Amino acid sequence: DVHGNVWEWCWDWYAAYPAGPVTDYRGGSDSSRVIRGGAWDSYARDCRSANRFRSYPDYRYDYGGFRLCRSAD
């Protein structure tokens, strides 16, 4: 459960989603990345995985983190 702990830094570039349904959309070209989930200083309404915001790669803050993943192969 990462909701409300720290904003989760995502691999996706921040850009508008296409109008139709998509799977594993990684965004268009933009200078900012997606962060999700809210943080300890967020309003309760923002602490959900569908909450999407932007952050720039060179910006540092104490309410962000990331999740390491590895494939099963």
Side-chain angles (χ1 to χ4, degrees), residues 15-68:
Y17 280 145
V22 295
T23 302
D24 294 333
Y25 181 67
R26 292 192 49 198
S29 60
D30 193 353
S31 60
S32 59
R33 297 280 188 169
V34 172
I35 57 176
R36 291 188 180 271
W40 54 268
D41 64 344
S42 300
Y43 292 108
R45 68 175 180 262
D46 295 332
C47 295
R48 58 191 188 96
S49 57
N51 188 29
R52 183 174 176 265
F53 195 64
R54 72 171 56 199
S55 181
Y56 295 93
D58 59 350
Y59 183 68
R60 302 293 182 254
Y61 46 89
D62 62 354
Y63 49 82
F66 60 93
R67 188 181 305 182
L68 298 176

